Amino acid sequence: MNKFWLTVIGITAAIVALSNLGSIAGLAVSLLITYIGVKWYFSSSKTWVKITSAIVAAIAGLTAVFNVPAILGVIAVYVLYIVWKKWNNEEAVSDFSYFEKQWQELKKKSV
């Protein structure tokens, strides 16, 4: 992919990720509360603790699922990661190396 388009996609993804940074933090908090609720549910033996932790985990899980801006922000962070990997893996081919290759082929043909 052209470096220009990688730059455009990268800048756009960075803007989207930065604008949704607060939503991503809210998603992290709601996922943490969901994890704690599920952990308490499986580790408790009392019925009222299981019911309370299940309700807390369900509410926090729904909050995480319906947090669409945060999900878009996470997708933007992933796109930014992909752009970064593509930018660093592409090797620039200079015209001089192509010239050297052709020169070697001409030398082989003339011998």
Side-chain angles (χ1 to χ4, degrees):
M1 187 179 283
N2 193 355
K3 296 271 187 181
F4 172 74
W5 290 114
L6 283 175
T7 304
V8 169
I9 293 170
I11 289 172
T12 305
I15 290 171
V16 170
L18 287 175
S19 66
N20 291 322
L21 203 55
S23 298
I24 293 172
L27 177 68
V29 169
S30 62
L31 288 175
L32 179 68
I33 293 171
T34 304
Y35 172 74
I36 292 170
V38 170
K39 186 177 175 183
W40 282 352
Y41 178 80
F42 286 118
S43 67
S44 67
S45 60
K46 297 181 180 177
T47 306
W48 69 273
V49 175
K50 283 192 178 239
I51 291 172
T52 305
S53 60
I55 291 171
V56 167
I59 291 172
L62 287 173
T63 304
V65 168
F66 291 123
N67 196 353
V68 176
I71 295 170
L72 293 176
V74 170
I75 291 170
V77 169
Y78 178 71
V79 168
L80 197 57
Y81 172 74
I82 295 296
V83 167
W84 179 267
K85 293 291 277 183
K86 281 193 177 270
W87 184 280
N88 290 331
N89 286 342
E90 287 186 359
E91 296 177 7
V93 178
S94 65
D95 293 333
F96 189 76
S97 63
Y98 184 70
F99 171 77
E100 286 290 325
K101 181 180 173 186
Q102 284 188 332
W103 184 257
Q104 295 298 325
E105 289 174 3
L106 286 174
K107 285 173 77 175
K108 287 180 184 178
K109 287 182 182 177
S110 66
V111 173

